[in-house]
């Protein structure tokens, strides 16, 4: 239902990939967008995350259980969908204010992809020094919350 209250998107990693794909279809859906370590090049990110053995299993039509805290059972069609629905670095689909938060030591999403994406699409970039993909270092989550809240209330 339409509302006069702002609606925000906060998306992390694969959620960033999904959120950007949603925005490509529904551009005015959100008032502001916050992306935390978004998997901007999801096919590459996912491919790099798989072992050679897992890639062969998927290519042969099998499934693999993959993920961090909540692994997903994935099949070949999942990989095919990643390529079909990917967002390219110059295709920020929403003309709304955006903030991109990225750890400079991210071991899953290439920080340079985030820098390029933010610069090319006019998103504000906040780099967290020493942070990996899971932001487990002391103070990382507090910094993310602080930066996000400041951005959303502007």
């Amino acid at each position: 239902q339409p509302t006069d209250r702002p609606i925000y998107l906060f998306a992390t990693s694969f959620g960033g990939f999904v959120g950007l794909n949603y925005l490509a279809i529904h551009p005015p859906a959100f008032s502001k967008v916050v992306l935390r370590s978004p998997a901007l090049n999801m096919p590459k990110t996912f491919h790099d995350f798989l072992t050679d053995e897992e890639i062969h299993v998927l290519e042969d039509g099998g499934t693999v259980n993959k993920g961090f805290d909540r692994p997903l059972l994935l099949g070949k069609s999942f990989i095919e969908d990643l390529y079909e629905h990917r967002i390219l670095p110059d295709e920020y689909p929403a003309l709304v204010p955006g903030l991109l938060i990225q750890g400079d030591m991210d071991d899953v999403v290439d920080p340079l992809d985030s820098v390029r994406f933010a610069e090319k699409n006019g998103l504000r970039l906040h780099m967290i020094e020493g942070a990996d993909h899971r932001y487990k270092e002391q103070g990382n989550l507090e910094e993310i919350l602080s930066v996000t809240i400041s951005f959303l209330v502007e």
Side-chain angles (χ1 to χ4, degrees):
Q1 291 185 9
T3 179
D4 57 353
R5 294 171 47 171
I7 299 173
Y8 307 120
L9 170 67
F10 183 98
T12 299
S13 194
F14 181 64
F17 172 79
V18 173
L20 287 170
N21 274 281
Y22 182 84
L23 286 168
I25 299 166
H26 308 285
F30 302 100
S31 304
K32 291 185 177 181
V33 173
V34 178
L35 302 170
R36 186 188 94 172
S37 295
L40 299 166
N41 189 348
M42 189 60 197
K44 178 187 179 303
T45 299
F46 200 77
H47 189 272
D48 291 349
F49 189 55
L50 295 171
T51 66
D52 289 340
E53 182 179 332
E54 290 167 330
I55 291 169
H56 291 303
V57 168
L58 290 171
E59 288 172 346
D60 292 339
T63 58
V64 297
N65 205 11
K66 204 67 175 171
F68 295 113
D69 298 326
R70 295 170 295 197
L72 302 171
L73 187 62
L74 307 172
K76 184 177 181 179
S77 64
F78 178 80
I79 305 300
E80 291 168 349
D81 283 347
L82 293 181
Y83 282 94
E84 183 179 339
H85 299 287
R86 69 179 173 209
I87 296 292
L88 299 176
D90 58 349
E91 293 180 340
Y92 180 56
L95 298 175
V96 298
L99 168 66
L100 198 156
I101 300 168
Q102 179 65 51
D104 69 348
M105 301 299 289
D106 197 318
D107 54 337
V108 176
V109 172
D110 185 345
L112 291 177
D113 286 345
S114 290
V115 170
R116 281 191 221 88
F117 187 81
E119 288 174 353
K120 191 165 224 172
N121 294 289
L123 278 75
R124 185 179 308 171
L125 177 67
H126 182 84
M127 192 68 69
I128 298 182
E129 198 172 310
D132 65 7
H133 193 68
R134 288 157 212 77
Y135 295 86
K136 299 260 182 181
E137 294 297 318
Q138 185 174 4
N140 286 169
L141 295 180
E142 293 81 3
E143 185 173 345
I144 290 167
L145 285 173
S146 175
V147 169
T148 299
I149 290 168
S150 294
F151 173 73
L152 294 178
V153 299
E154 289 177 349

